[in-house]
Amino acid sequence: MAKVKITLKKSLIGRKKNHILTANSLGLKKINDFKIVEKDVAIEGKISLISHLISVEDAE
């Protein structure tokens, strides 16, 4: 599977509870936190839910 780098770009303060929980499940708690994860169906769903808060780029 391909790996992607997910970076939190916007604050979680004042966001919906499920958006905060989704970001936390990806390991993102503070602005500029990033994680490199394997891309699969579950990760794609999480990315699409909080796409307005994060940036996604390919990782090797």
Side-chain angles (χ1 to χ4, degrees):
M1 291 297 235
K3 290 190 176 194
V4 291
K5 179 180 177 183
I6 304 171
T7 307
L8 185 64
K9 289 297 183 179
K10 293 187 178 180
S11 174
L12 297 175
I13 296 173
R15 305 295 176 176
K16 291 183 178 179
K17 179 109 175 143
N18 64 332
H19 292 188
I20 295 169
L21 293 174
T22 302
N24 290 341
S25 73
L26 289 170
L28 307 173
K29 296 185 184 285
K30 296 181 179 181
I31 295 176
N32 291 327
D33 275 356
F34 70 91
K35 291 292 176 179
I36 298 175
V37 295
E38 293 285 336
K39 189 173 185 182
D40 62 359
V41 178
I43 297 296
E44 287 178 4
K46 291 177 182 183
I47 288 172
S48 68
L49 181 66
I50 60 170
S51 62
H52 58 287
L53 301 175
I54 60 174
S55 69
V56 180
E57 54 193 60
D58 291 329
E60 297 184 23

